[in-house]
Amino acid sequence: MAGSKSNARVVIVGAGPVGMVCALALNRRGVAVTVLEQEPAPVEDQRAASLHPSTLEMLDDLGVTEQIIPLGLVSSAYRFHDRVSDSVVAEFDLGLMKDEFRFPYVLQYEQYKLTASIAAEYGNASDFDVRFAHGVTGLTETADGVEVEAASPDGPVKIKADYVIGADGGRSTVRKLAGIEFEGFTYPERFIKIATSFDFGKANPKVAFRNYFSDPNEWCNLFKVQGKRPPGLWRAIMPIQADETDEIALSPERIESRMQKFFPNSGRYQIEYVNVYGAHQCVAATFRKGRVLLAGDSAHVNNPIGGMGMNGGIHDGINLADKLARVIHGEASSELLDLYSRQRRHAPAHRAAM
Ligand SMILES: Cc1cc2nc3c(=O)[nH]c(=O)nc-3n(C[C@H](O)[C@H](O)[C@H](O)COP(=O)(O)OP(=O)(O)OC[C@H]3O[C@@H](n4cnc5c(N)ncnc54)[C@H](O)[C@@H]3O)c2cc1C
């Protein structure tokens, strides 16, 4: 642990992947952090599960990869399939970029495992203080800092921070309290994620660990994750028709018929978990307002296909930690934080305009 070099403290709201990675990066740069998470314990969030090569390099610089790579699935190739003709249309092999990347593959590793491992390994120190069951309810900016109010099992608490980072997800309380607009739209399409222990890898040799199936009526993405134990799980993500209610989509009969239509199987599919999601494309008007900063989903949300949300959010967290540490240590003026906002806002704002 780097140990904090000044009395400054940054409060990070949200112990999701972005909040935890940003906290570790700040702490490594000698800044004391307090992470406030509303849930009582690390959440088993079955959303993101793909860490891209550039993100792995950032995590490697924080000393995290040695621990997580053996626990994840190394996936160098991903395939595009035509569902109608049942053929592989294209394969992208990241292995061919071995001279460009330290990690020429995607690591399939569920986001809840990353957050839980950082919290367990590092988050028990006075300068890396992770507090669960602390839901942030208020922010008051003063001349030299921000007072953060949170609801805790022992009643309301107030914590003084030099800066606050909202890493509290798409519905960010921090963003709302700071009065920052969240501009964009919601796609009319919803989708369903079905996780099964059925081994697609064994049943279909055309399938890689990461697959995108095109189809005029029902596209499908199929990914393998480790789950809780070998041989792991396969997650199938498909669209839901506009007139299909969540109740129908989540019924065991509809899940079974959807999976049988995708890949006929003589037995019934063993389902491990299933969720329905909406997809949004929004970006905050600014990622910095005074001493309040936004990172990850609180700053931008996009369609999860392609796995850019958590990866882009981690890139925010690393960029911000580097600049904020320099400001806190007196090596740069606070204007550097506007550069953070401009640099990181540009990517999702550019996507939203397309
Ligand atoms: C089906 C699906 C698949 C996805 N797959 C991928 C993928 O493969 N790769 C990828 O990069 N992205 C993926 N994403 C997107 C990814 O899950 C998100 O971008 C990512 O979780 C954002 O991380 P975050 O830390 O910013 O926010 P979150 O993960 O949402 O974490 C926010 C945390 O803040 C806490 N919180 C909220 N309000 C408060 C409060 N007031 N006080 C204290 N705590 C609070 C929440 O409890 C939560 O723990 C996927 C999304 C979906 C829906």
Side-chain angles (χ1 to χ4, degrees):
M1 196 52 44
S4 52
K5 289 184 196 154
S6 72
N7 293 326
R9 181 166 293 270
V10 174
V11 165
I12 297 179
V13 184
V18 176
M20 292 309 291
V21 170
C22 184
L24 181 58
L26 273 168
N27 193 250
R28 288 271 196 256
R29 288 162 176 76
V31 177
V33 291
T34 297
V35 181
L36 302 176
E37 166 58 50
Q38 67 184 4
E39 297 298 331
V43 185
E44 266 199 29
D45 191 329
Q46 300 290 1
R47 286 186 293 160
S50 303
L51 291 165
H52 293 170
S54 50
T55 311
L56 287 170
E57 289 185 6
M58 292 174 182
L59 295 177
D60 193 45
D61 293 341
L62 295 178
V64 173
T65 45
E66 244 173 61
Q67 190 191 346
I68 68 171
I69 289 174
L71 302 174
L73 287 173
V74 168
S75 167
S76 57
Y78 56 108
R79 291 197 183 137
F80 289 84
H81 305 248
D82 181 343
R83 194 171 157 181
V84 178
S85 64
D86 186 26
S87 55
V88 176
V89 179
E91 174 177 294
F92 288 84
D93 186 356
L94 290 167
L96 296 173
M97 298 181 78
K98 61 182 186 326
D99 297 334
E100 316 292 326
F101 295 126
R102 234 182 292 162
F103 303 95
Y105 51 79
V106 165
L107 186 73
Q108 293 291 97
Y109 188 64
E110 293 97 322
Q111 67 179 72
Y112 74 87
K113 296 179 181 172
L114 178 67
T115 55
S117 68
I118 296 176
E121 180 143 354
Y122 307 102
N124 274 316
S126 60
D127 65 354
F128 194 157
D129 172 23
V130 182
R131 301 191 198 173
F132 289 96
H134 279 65
V136 168
T137 53
L139 296 179
T140 311
E141 194 157 341
T142 59
D144 59 350
V146 187
E147 193 169 74
V148 183
E149 289 163 59
S152 82
D154 302 324
V157 290
K158 286 187 179 176
I159 301 166
K160 279 198 152 188
D162 292 75
Y163 288 91
V164 173
I165 298 175
D168 51 343
R171 296 194 176 95
S172 174
T173 301
V174 171
R175 187 185 67 234
K176 288 173 194 154
L177 289 170
I180 299 173
E181 290 289 313
F182 204 41
E183 302 149 352
F185 63 89
T186 298
Y187 288 91
E189 196 175 46
R190 291 170 301 133
F191 53 90
I192 187 164
K193 184 176 67 205
I194 302 168
T196 176
S197 52
F198 177 77
D199 193 345
F200 282 100
K202 256 194 193 157
N204 183 355
K206 290 181 188 157
V207 159
F209 283 171
R210 294 166 49 76
N211 307 273
Y212 297 88
F213 292 80
S214 70
D215 184 279
N217 301 314
E218 193 179 52
W219 52 263
C220 179
N221 301 334
L222 184 70
F223 303 109
K224 189 168 186 193
V225 291
Q226 282 289 40
K228 300 270 185 201
R229 63 196 80 82
L233 299 174
W234 289 82
R235 291 174 168 187
I237 299 162
M238 300 184 216
I240 295 182
Q241 306 309 323
D243 57 356
E244 192 174 344
T245 64
D246 286 11
E247 199 186 357
I248 293 175
L250 292 167
S251 67
E253 300 71 33
R254 184 71 184 102
I255 291 169
E256 181 66 16
S257 71
R258 207 168 224 128
M259 294 302 284
Q260 289 289 353
K261 188 174 158 214
F262 173 62
F263 191 85
N265 159 20
S266 56
R268 200 176 166 87
Y269 274 92
Q270 179 73 37
I271 304 303
E272 298 294 323
Y273 51 85
V274 55
N275 304 97
V276 168
Y277 295 99
H280 315 275
Q281 183 152 299
C282 304
V283 65
T286 177
F287 291 8
R288 179 205 178 187
K289 195 166 175 187
R291 289 174 178 269
V292 178
L293 297 134
L294 301 179
D297 274 17
S298 73
H300 48 82
V301 287
N302 61 276
N303 192 321
I305 295 167
M308 299 303 288
M310 174 182 68
N311 283 278
I314 289 175
H315 293 208
D316 294 345
I318 297 289
N319 183 313
L320 176 56
D322 184 48
K323 292 184 170 63
L324 188 52
R326 285 162 66 193
V327 171
I328 284 174
H329 295 318
E331 296 160 12
S333 86
S334 65
E335 280 169 21
L336 191 61
L337 302 174
D338 293 325
L339 179 63
Y340 159 72
S341 179
R342 286 200 301 279
Q343 283 177 334
R344 294 305 305 162
R345 191 179 180 281
H346 177 72
H350 180 68
R351 274 205 302 274
M354 289 199 313

